Amino acid sequence: MAIVFGIFRLNSLEGLLAQIFRVLSCLIFLWLLSGNPAFSDEPVVFACNEFPPYKMENSDSGLSGFDVEFLRQSFKRVGVDLKIQYMPWKRALEEARQGRVNGVCSCSQTKERTEFLYFSDPLGKASSGVFSLTKNNFPKLKTVDEIGTRPVGVVRGYNIIENLKEANVPNIIELSDEQQGLKVLLNGRIDFYYTYEAPTRYYLGQQNKSKEVVYHELSFTNYYSCFSKSANGSKTLLKQFNAGLAEIKKDGTYDKILAKYR
């Protein structure tokens, strides 16, 4: 009788453990389903600001910008659907900070952003510097310190504004976007426009005013696709993206995309 009872207890324990294992397996699967974008039917959402030729919502050419194409192709290689939402730059960063989007299409790395963003492998390189009117014939600048007391415009929220503050440049005019920056420069309301080269040259070309300005490069740095630390599954999504990005760089897709914008 004791032997039978012992076997019954053993069988009951094995059954209980098997049931616990099944429940835990189900919970782990549900966790993966909710926390990893690759297991979800919903597309991942990235916030983009209008920043030609990197990111363009409604361009005359129909092109979406090379950063957007890099993202789409990289995610496609790893089976992840991507949805782009366009919004002003500061709002895009805040949406990522709060985890309401999976990330920001592209950005440079700063200490502040590291607090709420993960950064991909380098997405590309960007030149930043100052534009000035050709007719003013200012000496070529090599550092922001040389701006002195002259009024300089910079888009609000761009990390390069910190360079001006660290150099104690006194007359900083914060602007809402690239187009406003170029407008106030061409109108002579600022002496220098401190910004990224590519989008400004794009807008100048559209207005046929490229010859009216000169550009002085001050730095040339990597930039990245940026993933929200507050969004579910970001670390896994980052690894997937890096794998896709490496693939399009290796097989020539990356260079083919860039070639369309030259």
Side-chain angles (χ1 to χ4, degrees), residues 130-154:
V130 291
F131 286 88
S132 63
L133 295 178
T134 305
K135 65 182 181 182
N136 287 338
N137 198 29
F138 293 133
K140 182 175 176 62
L141 302 186
K142 295 181 180 179
T143 67
V144 292
D145 305 69
E146 296 173 9
I147 291 172
T149 59
R150 293 187 179 278
V152 54
V154 62

Side-chain angles (χ1 to χ4, degrees), residues 76-226:
K76 183 179 180 181
R77 296 301 176 89
V78 292
V80 176
D81 291 330
L82 173 67
K83 180 180 178 181
I84 299 293
Q85 291 183 351
Y86 280 88
M87 59 189 70
W89 176 240
K90 290 201 73 174
R91 181 185 161 198
L93 285 178
E94 186 58 29
E95 291 290 293
R97 184 193 299 272
Q98 299 298 329
R100 291 191 286 262
V101 295
N102 295 94
V104 176
C105 291
S106 55
C107 72
S108 54
Q109 186 171 0
T110 67
K111 182 178 180 181
E112 178 188 358
R113 292 174 190 170
T114 302
E115 295 176 4
F116 62 96
L117 294 173
Y118 297 120
F119 299 90
S120 71
D121 292 338
L123 193 63
K125 290 184 179 292
S127 171
S128 60
V130 291
F131 286 88
S132 63
L133 295 178
T134 305
K135 65 182 181 182
N136 287 338
N137 198 29
F138 293 133
K140 182 175 176 62
L141 302 186
K142 295 181 180 179
T143 67
V144 292
D145 305 69
E146 296 173 9
I147 291 172
T149 59
R150 293 187 179 278
V152 54
V154 62
V155 173
R156 187 179 301 111
Y158 281 3
N159 70 301
I160 54 176
I161 195 173
E162 297 303 320
N163 298 333
L164 298 174
K165 293 178 179 178
E166 289 174 5
N168 295 314
V169 174
N171 201 352
I172 302 172
I173 312 298
E174 295 192 28
L175 307 160
S176 60
D177 56 35
E178 288 287 332
Q179 288 173 298
Q180 185 194 23
L182 186 55
K183 181 178 179 180
V184 297
L185 175 66
L186 292 172
N187 289 342
R189 292 165 55 192
I190 54 177
D191 287 336
F192 296 108
Y193 178 32
Y194 186 33
T195 187
Y196 295 97
E197 179 184 18
T200 303
R201 289 203 183 280
Y202 175 85
Y203 288 124
L204 283 166
Q206 284 193 323
Q207 299 177 39
N208 294 317
K209 294 188 175 181
S210 298
K211 294 182 179 180
E212 294 186 26
V213 303
V214 293
Y215 175 68
H216 307 299
E217 183 178 87
L218 299 180
S219 64
F220 197 80
T221 58
N222 287 329
Y223 67 92
Y224 313 85
S225 185
C226 308

